[in-house]
Amino acid sequence: MLIDLTELEFCDSSGLRSLMGEQGEVRAQGGRMAVACPGGGAVARLLDLSGAREVLDVHPSADAALAALA
């Protein structure tokens, strides 16, 4: 599953919790999930500050995330 956040300008803790929960659901079904989130924006800062990059498979572009899933 690809989660493309490249156009997202804002994400709060409930959005982050949804991402983390979805990853758990995808893994429980034997799937994989990659997140596309370019650096420098507010969402990238949220992923950095929260430590979510250590848990989520985050890539700088949708193409890079798709390549990781291939």
Side-chain angles (χ1 to χ4, degrees), residues 12-64:
D12 62 9
S13 60
S14 61
L16 181 59
R17 183 175 170 88
S18 294
L19 284 173
M20 306 283 274
E22 186 60 30
Q23 177 176 308
E25 292 294 322
V26 169
R27 284 186 177 170
Q29 298 296 319
R32 297 180 328 167
M33 185 174 105
V35 178
C37 182
V43 177
R45 283 192 300 276
L46 173 68
L47 296 178
D48 290 336
L49 292 173
S50 67
R53 287 186 187 269
E54 296 175 19
V55 178
L56 298 172
D57 184 21
V58 181
H59 301 273
S61 69
D63 288 339

